[in-house]
Structure formats: C-alpha cells, structure tokens
C-alpha cells in the first residue's frame, strides 16, 4: 500500500440546519486512509459515523474542511459531477441490501453497468465474473424474495464490485444477518480487500465485524476520538493487483 492515500480529510466538518439552528454532526476530522486499507468506523448512535461514510462516498457534502477521495477534491464537484464520480469510484453495501424486488440477481448486479457505455456482451461478462466471485452463479435468475438474507447480501456485494471501484463503503453490512451468514459476508469483504486490493471503509457497531479491519476509527460526538490498530497494515502489494473485475 504505497503512494498517495486514497482518502485524505483535513478539518472536515458537517452540520445540518433546522431553520436558523445549526446542528454540528462532525467537527474537525483529520484522517488519511491508505489505498488498500480496511477501516472500521465505530461509535455510539449519533457519533457521526454514518455521516462520515456518506461524505466519503460522495452521497453528502461537507460544510467545512477538505475532502479528497480517489484523487479528487469532492468539494469542487457539482451534483452531476459527483454522481458521475460515485458511479465510477465507489461500491456500496447496505445493511438491508437495497435490491430491486422486481429484478433477478443478474439484473440487480447489472444495474451499475447500465450507466456505462459497455455493450450488452461486455456487461454480461462482468456480471458473470461478479456472480462467480460471490459463488451465486446458480442463483442468477432468482429474485430477492427467493434468496436467503445471506444470499441477498452477496448479490449486493457483487453489485458493489461489478463496475470495479477502488473504494467500497459498507454501512452495517452484517446488521440484518445471523452469525453464520454474517461471518461468510465478512470473509467475502476481507477477500475483496486482501486478494483484490479494494479499499474498504465499514460502519459497524459489532466488535466481531470490526475485528476483521486493519484499523478501527472511533468517533464520539462528531469528533475523532481514537484509532486502534487491530491488524498490521500490509506493506506488500495485494496478491492480485489492481481490480476485481477485468
């Protein structure tokens, strides 16, 4: 994990407004995350961890400070530029999967590719690679209601990586799963990090999930309280360099 950090935050701040009342959520966050890192954001409810994740993913905008992700200063982007940046650089994994009920697994995974100029054959190749990665090729024609919770989350992970993003953000990815399926999903996310070199930033309140990360970032009332190294950050290149989907 050499070179420039994939994420650099300097004095990052976020407030919401209720009329003229300012409600600060994040204050003065300074943080660098190296390319290929696996970080867990932790803290009590209201600490600002999901707000921080949304800022990193380009879903929300800061009200102060500098926000650089994947080599771009997101402060400078208008809404259209930010949407285009998200579609290229970020994969999303949500607690409740966010699959489209009327689309089967294949079609759900293909969704991000419909925003690209790839041909139908090229999209098919990438979707099949993603399905194989999450071991769900035999379920590609099943609809979400025909899948278990663990299978739905694996479809969601395939959708998150099918367009080959550098950054994957995960918001409580195991929160709706039982222990067995949660461990399978966490092992899959760890594979994306260790073998495919993806940078992972995950919000979780589960210590077992956070233990998979290299670094735990603890927030308290919108302030970076402390960081804890769980596993030593790898200094060597990932076993498979570059991207998950070719």
């Amino acid at each position: 994990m050499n070179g420039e950090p994939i994420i650099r935050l300097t004095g990052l701040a976020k407030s919401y407004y209720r009329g003229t009342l300012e409600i600060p959520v994040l204050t003065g966050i300074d943080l660098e995350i190296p390319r290929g890192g696996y970080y867990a954001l932790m803290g009590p409810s209201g600490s600002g961890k999901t707000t921080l994740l949304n800022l990193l993913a380009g879903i929300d905008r800061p009200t102060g400070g500098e926000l650089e992700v994947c080599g771009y200063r997101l402060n400078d982007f208008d809404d259209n530029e930010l949407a285009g940046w998200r579609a290229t650089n970020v994969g999303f994994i949500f607690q409740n999967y966010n699959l489209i009920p009327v689309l089967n697994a294949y079609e759900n995974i293909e969704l991000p590719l419909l925003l690209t100029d790839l041909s139908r054959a090229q999209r098919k190749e990438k979707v099949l690679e993603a399905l194989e990665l999450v071991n769900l090729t035999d379920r590609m024609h099943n609809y979400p209601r025909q899948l278990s919770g663990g299978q739905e989350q694996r479809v969601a992970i395939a959708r998150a990586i099918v367009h080959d993003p550098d950054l994957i953000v995960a918001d409580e990815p195991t929160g709706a799963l039982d222990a067995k399926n949660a461990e399978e999903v966490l092992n899959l996310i760890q594979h994306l990090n260790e073998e495919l070199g993806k940078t992972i930033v995950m919000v979780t309140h589960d210590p077992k999930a956070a233990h998979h990360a290299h670094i735990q970032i603890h927030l308290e009332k919108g302030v970076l309280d402390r960081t804890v190294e769980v596993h030593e950050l790898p200094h060597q290149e990932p076993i498979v360099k570059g991207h998950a989907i070719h």
Side-chain angles (χ1 to χ4, degrees), residues 30-237:
D30 294 320
L31 179 66
E32 290 188 356
I33 294 180
R35 187 174 296 275
Y38 186 171
Y39 279 55
L41 300 180
M42 304 188 73
S45 297
S47 62
K49 55 188 183 296
T50 295
T51 297
L52 179 55
L53 192 76
N54 289 341
L55 290 170
L56 298 180
I59 296 173
D60 205 350
R61 294 176 177 276
T63 51
E66 300 292 321
L67 174 60
E68 295 182 28
V69 187
C70 297
Y72 295 90
R73 185 178 183 272
L74 301 190
N75 305 64
D76 297 332
F77 285 179
D78 62 27
D79 288 346
N80 288 335
E81 290 170 330
L82 202 56
W85 175 86
R86 284 196 306 268
T88 301
N89 293 281
V90 186
F92 300 89
I93 305 172
F94 303 97
Q95 177 176 343
N96 293 318
Y97 326 131
N98 286 12
L99 301 180
I100 307 300
V102 296
L103 301 181
N104 63 30
Y106 181 101
E107 293 164 335
N108 267 285
I109 296 167
E110 188 185 24
L111 274 177
L113 302 181
L114 298 179
L115 301 174
T116 72
D117 58 2
L118 294 175
S119 68
R120 183 176 181 180
Q122 289 171 320
R123 294 198 306 269
K124 180 178 181 180
E125 180 181 2
K126 288 182 176 292
V127 172
L128 292 179
E129 288 181 6
L131 279 162
E132 184 176 358
L133 181 65
V134 300
N135 196 28
L136 282 178
T137 303
D138 61 336
R139 296 288 189 171
M140 73 171 73
H141 299 301
N142 288 104
Y143 292 87
R145 67 180 182 275
Q146 299 170 317
L147 300 171
S148 69
Q151 289 169 337
E152 285 189 86
Q153 191 61 295
R154 282 153 59 197
V155 170
I157 291 171
R159 180 186 58 191
I161 55 90
V162 71
H163 60 299
D164 197 17
D166 288 326
L167 173 64
I168 295 174
V169 297
D171 192 358
E172 299 282 6
T174 61
L177 300 176
D178 60 31
K180 179 178 181 295
N181 281 307
E183 189 65 22
E184 289 180 358
V185 164
L186 288 168
N187 287 339
L188 179 54
I189 293 173
Q190 191 167 341
H191 173 81
L192 298 179
N193 172 251
E194 294 181 352
E195 304 300 323
L196 302 177
K198 301 300 180 184
T199 303
I200 311 290
V201 181
M202 173 179 67
V203 164
T204 184
H205 66 271
D206 181 358
K208 291 182 179 179
H211 190 72
H212 285 255
H214 301 137
I215 302 289
Q216 296 174 4
I217 302 170
H218 292 260
L219 295 171
E220 183 71 37
K221 296 181 179 179
V223 176
L224 182 59
D225 182 48
R226 67 188 189 279
T227 61
V228 178
E229 182 175 314
V230 183
H231 304 286
E232 184 177 355
L233 287 164
H235 298 290
Q236 74 276 11
E237 293 294 325

